[in-house]
């Protein structure tokens, strides 16, 4: 039975009640990962999604096709967990490219194994990668991720650049007492290697619920650390729906970005919608409700019916994440299961 509100759906945009329209689809391909970043997962990992609840490659591609053909999706980013551990990734990318020749297709990854796959992903139609790397000191990397794999990440980054998956972006999270003094050296390294570095404020999305507002490194502190060694000036105004505030470094052309999701939220310009690996639509990273497309899909719903459900799912999108609100509740699912 379709939900009763469907009769009132007249538009096939993914619009919410606050005038925002989602055109950027984040697709989580798995909740599993081969690292254990302390701000994301506990050392022992998590209870992974049961295999039969995870969308098959065909199901993922069908939902993306519906998003592109019927709902105005213009960008698709694959994420996870770690999307490179999904066996069908190259095939999913190539079928996504077939579904949307003009789509912008990107991948957020820890880059383990990217050295082997970068060229195949490029050939399949991937445009760009974002690689997560919080330190270029081997010991710090191993301490944060609980795995001694920094060399694989660096090899993955180099392969991505060589394959033309650029501009290659590097995402870093600074953590108090671990790497909070390493911002400038990360930036110096990124500029020398030709990667676009962006710092992300730590968000309350860890499975362990260890995040504390008073402990996190805020954008202001990140910028102060960088400004001790570099001159920064705003590189663009306004930032629009792009979450990163960009700064020219020492007059440019190099830039550095800061994604201040907590202290300078950009919810008012959000154009994103998320699909979890088990086929649930989330209208926000911090949403407390999900809409089940997997069951509809497996029960034989038509493309039109699925599109209608997706439209309805957006209507409950809240105006903001409310992290600073005393009533804020962390979502039940951690970042790795939502798709970061
Ligand atoms: N495994 C891939 C990776 O690490 O890039 C993709 C998934 S990961 C959840 C996506 C991004 O979320 C990474 O850049 C990671 O640093 C970031 N992330 C994870 N937990 C976070 C948190 N609590 N706060 C801020 N960023 C977080
Ligand atoms: Fe894995 Fe990415 Fe989470 Fe690190 S941030 S544990 S690489 S999913």
């Amino acid at each position: 039975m379709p939900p009763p509100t469907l009769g009132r759906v007249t538009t096939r945009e993914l619009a919410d009640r606050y005038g925002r329209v989602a055109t950027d689809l984040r697709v989580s391909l798995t909740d599993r990962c081969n690292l254990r970043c302390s701000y994301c997962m506990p050392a022992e990992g998590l209870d992974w999604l049961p295999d039969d609840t995870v969308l098959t490659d065909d199901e993922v591609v069908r939902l993306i096709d519906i998003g592109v053909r019927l709902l105005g999706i213009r960008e698709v980013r694959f994420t996870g967990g770690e999307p490179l551990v999904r066996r069908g990734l190259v095939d999913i990318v190539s079928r996504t490219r077939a579904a949307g020749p003009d789509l912008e297709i990107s991948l957020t990854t820890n880059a383990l194994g990217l050295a082997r796959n970068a060229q195949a992903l490029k050939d399949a139609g991937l445009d760009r990668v974002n690689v997560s790397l919080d330190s270029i000191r081997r010991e710090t990397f191993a301490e944060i991720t609980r795995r001694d794999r920094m060399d694989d990440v660096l090899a993955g980054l180099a392969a991505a650049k060589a394959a033309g998956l650029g501009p290659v972006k590097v995402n870093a999270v600074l953590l108090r007492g671990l790497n909070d003094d390493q911002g400038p050296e990360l930036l110096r390294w990124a500029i020398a290697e030709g990667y676009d570095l962006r710092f992300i404020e730590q968000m309350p999305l860890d499975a362990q619920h260890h995040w504390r507002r008073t402990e996190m490194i805020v954008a202001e502190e990140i910028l102060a650390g960088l400004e001790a060694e570099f001159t920064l000036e705003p590189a663009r105004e306004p930032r629009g729906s792009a979450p990163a505030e960009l700064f020219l470094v020492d007059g440019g052309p190099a830039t550095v970005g800061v994604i201040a999701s907590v202290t300078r939220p950009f919810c008012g310009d959000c154009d994103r919608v998320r699909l979890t690996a088990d086929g649930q639509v989330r209208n926000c990273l911090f949403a407390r409700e999900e809409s089940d497309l997997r069951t509809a899909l497996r029960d034989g719903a038509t493309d039109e019916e699925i599109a209608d459900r997706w439209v309805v799912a957006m209507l409950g999108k809240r105006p903001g994440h409310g992290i600073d609100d005393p009533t804020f509740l962390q979502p039940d699912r951690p970042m790795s299961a939502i798709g970061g």
Side-chain angles (χ1 to χ4, degrees):
M1 277 278 288
T5 43
L6 287 185
R8 291 204 296 277
V9 173
T10 53
T11 174
R12 279 295 185 69
E13 278 182 328
L14 293 175
D16 63 35
R17 296 183 201 276
Y18 300 91
R20 298 167 297 187
V21 178
T23 55
D24 178 351
L25 173 62
R26 308 276 154 135
V27 180
S28 174
L29 292 177
T30 177
D31 60 332
R32 296 175 190 240
C33 189
N34 38 17
L35 293 183
R36 294 286 182 274
C37 304
S38 58
Y39 51 81
C40 184
M41 278 193 202
E44 65 278 15
L46 295 165
D47 290 333
W48 310 123
L49 291 168
D51 286 347
D52 61 346
T53 67
V54 174
L55 297 181
T56 64
D57 294 1
D58 286 350
E59 288 171 335
V60 170
V61 172
R62 178 163 172 218
L63 289 179
I64 292 173
D65 176 63
I66 291 170
V68 172
R69 206 162 31 81
L70 301 179
L71 297 168
I73 292 298
R74 294 200 290 266
E75 278 184 67
V76 171
R77 171 175 296 277
F78 293 107
T79 180
E82 177 43 52
L84 285 172
V85 306
R86 174 121 184 184
R87 231 175 274 133
L89 176 65
V90 172
D91 189 48
I92 290 173
V93 169
S94 98
R95 292 167 70 189
T96 299
R97 174 54 69 214
D102 302 325
L103 267 184
E104 195 165 315
I105 309 178
S106 56
L107 179 73
T108 297
T109 174
N110 64 25
L112 296 188
L114 185 58
R116 276 194 309 279
N117 285 321
Q119 192 60 53
L121 286 164
K122 175 72 182 176
D123 295 343
L126 188 71
D127 292 312
R128 293 184 295 106
V129 293
N130 282 13
V131 171
S132 305
L133 178 64
D134 305 318
S135 174
I136 46 156
R137 292 187 206 169
R138 196 168 164 178
E139 322 76 62
T140 313
F141 178 92
E143 196 177 355
I144 294 175
T145 64
R146 305 188 178 102
R147 301 284 188 273
D148 185 11
R149 304 288 302 273
M150 193 184 79
D151 291 345
D152 299 276
V153 178
L154 297 182
L157 274 163
K161 186 163 70 172
L165 289 169
V168 175
K169 291 185 184 168
V170 172
N171 295 342
V173 179
L174 293 185
L175 305 162
R176 198 166 301 286
L178 281 170
N179 63 345
D180 52 341
D181 57 344
Q182 298 180 24
E185 80 182 53
L186 262 171
L187 181 54
R188 224 174 292 116
W189 164 82
I191 291 172
E193 297 291 334
Y195 304 135
D196 292 351
L197 180 65
R198 295 127 34 104
F199 292 95
I200 307 178
E201 280 183 342
Q202 189 188 358
M203 294 180 275
L205 287 169
D206 57 314
Q208 313 89 298
H209 290 222
H210 285 166
W211 181 90
R212 295 288 173 273
R213 179 74 165 81
T214 47
E215 283 293 302
M216 63 170 285
I217 310 283
V218 298
E220 210 178 324
E221 196 175 342
I222 297 169
L223 289 168
L226 297 176
E227 281 172 329
E229 297 196 27
F230 303 94
T231 307
L232 303 183
E233 54 186 301
R236 67 174 174 217
E237 206 65 58
R239 70 183 176 188
S241 65
E245 289 177 65
L246 267 195
F247 299 88
L248 285 178
V249 181
D250 290 341
T255 59
V256 65
V258 177
I259 303 181
S261 321
V262 178
T263 61
R264 300 176 195 168
F266 33 88
C267 304
D269 292 314
C270 179
D271 62 358
R272 296 173 184 187
V273 58
R274 297 183 140 81
L275 180 66
T276 64
D278 57 346
Q280 311 297 304
V281 166
R282 294 181 65 95
N283 54 35
C284 173
L285 255 182
F286 294 93
R288 304 204 46 82
E289 305 85 29
E290 299 181 339
S291 302
D292 182 10
L293 295 190
R294 183 189 74 236
T295 302
L297 194 99
R298 292 186 179 172
D299 284 352
T302 65
D303 288 358
E304 306 282 322
E305 286 164 349
I306 290 170
D308 282 345
R309 274 178 185 268
W310 201 333
V311 168
V312 171
M314 299 309 292
L315 297 177
K317 180 160 171 157
R318 296 181 195 184
H321 56 46
I323 292 174
D324 276 333
D325 190 306
T327 62
F328 173 76
L329 280 176
Q330 186 168 334
D332 294 332
R333 293 219 216 200
M335 180 80 127
S336 56
I338 295 169

